[in-house]
Amino acid sequence: MLWRSFDPLSRTVLQTTVGTSVDLLLGRLEKLHGRILVCHAFGYLTLGGS
């Protein structure tokens, strides 16, 4: 779920680890843009950073 800084604490749900937060983010991106695009985009970002 997306939340804003001014939402009440009862609506603010954070993941317990960084890994689960990243998984949730990537899953949301895959739903919006498709798995292939997300995989290729992050692959290019990884290659470009080396």
Side-chain angles (χ1 to χ4, degrees):
M1 177 179 158
L2 297 176
W3 56 272
R4 300 166 298 214
S5 62
F6 54 86
D7 284 341
L9 288 178
S10 60
R11 292 198 55 198
T12 305
V13 179
L14 299 176
Q15 301 303 311
T16 55
T17 66
V18 173
T20 55
S21 295
V22 171
D23 287 342
L24 188 67
L25 172 67
L26 293 177
R28 195 166 65 237
L29 287 173
E30 287 178 358
K31 280 184 183 179
L32 285 172
H33 304 291
R35 182 174 177 84
I36 293 174
L37 177 73
V38 172
C39 288
H40 286 180
F42 279 98
Y44 290 135
L45 287 171
T46 302
L47 288 173
S50 55

